[in-house]
Amino acid sequence: MKLRKIVCITLIPLILAGCNPPPPGGGVGGVSKQDIGTVAGGVGGALLGSTIGGGTGRLIATGAGALIGGMAGNSVGKSLDKADSNNNQ
């Protein structure tokens, strides 16, 4: 059951990130580093959050971890994309 949750938490954001058009500057495989950072941060935050608490508290911690991790990953990825575009000019 736990493996099923991990697979779902990992695959859903990856599938959604694939819906975006490729960034103009490239990125990794046509996906921007901002998108990759958002997905990686969200998955990592969800996994860390799921280790905290029990019952309903675990569910809340998982959601909060995914949200905070996704925001942090988005910020890091955005700064990497910006640095790449500055290097290409």
Side-chain angles (χ1 to χ4, degrees), residues 9-77:
I9 289 172
T10 305
L11 288 180
I12 290 172
L14 291 173
I15 292 168
L16 292 175
C19 295
N20 287 337
V28 178
V31 179
S32 72
K33 291 181 181 175
Q34 183 176 3
D35 292 338
I36 294 170
T38 302
V39 171
V43 169
L47 291 175
L48 286 174
S50 70
T51 62
I52 299 172
T56 306
R58 178 173 286 167
L59 181 62
I60 293 169
T62 301
L67 181 64
I68 293 168
M71 289 171 31
N74 182 288
S75 177
V76 170

